[in-house]
Amino acid sequence: VGLLWKRHRKPSIKGRLYLQGPPRQLSPTRITLSQADGLAIAVTDSNEWGKFEFYVPPGEYQVQISATDFRLS
């Protein structure tokens, strides 16, 4: 499992969760965005293709991914 993360010119953070191998649908996954100090400021679920997006001002953030049988490698 991996995480692609892009920071765009407009104030947003977009990403895509994926499983290694051929593209396939994923179960919706809960993603929490926190400030650098650990304070959670936004929560969203990925879509069936693993895409997610947060609209936030420029800054440093932490991303936490929560799903059954899911871990970063």
Side-chain angles (χ1 to χ4, degrees):
V1 175
L3 171 67
L4 296 178
W5 183 328
K6 296 180 182 177
R7 187 144 172 78
H8 296 274
R9 292 178 201 253
K10 65 181 180 176
S12 68
I13 295 174
K14 292 182 180 184
R16 180 175 165 254
L17 305 171
Y18 65 93
L19 299 173
Q20 292 184 11
R24 59 183 182 252
Q25 289 185 335
L26 301 173
S27 298
T29 301
R30 176 65 40 107
I31 300 145
T32 304
L33 187 70
S34 300
Q35 295 175 341
D37 64 5
L39 177 66
I41 58 169
V43 175
T44 192
D45 292 325
S46 65
N47 68 14
E48 66 273 14
W49 296 106
K51 293 183 179 182
F52 65 91
E53 183 170 15
F54 294 101
Y55 293 97
V56 293
E60 293 186 24
Y61 299 95
Q62 300 172 10
V63 176
Q64 180 181 0
I65 301 163
S66 304
T68 304
D69 299 328
F70 181 87
R71 68 174 189 265
L72 293 174
S73 58

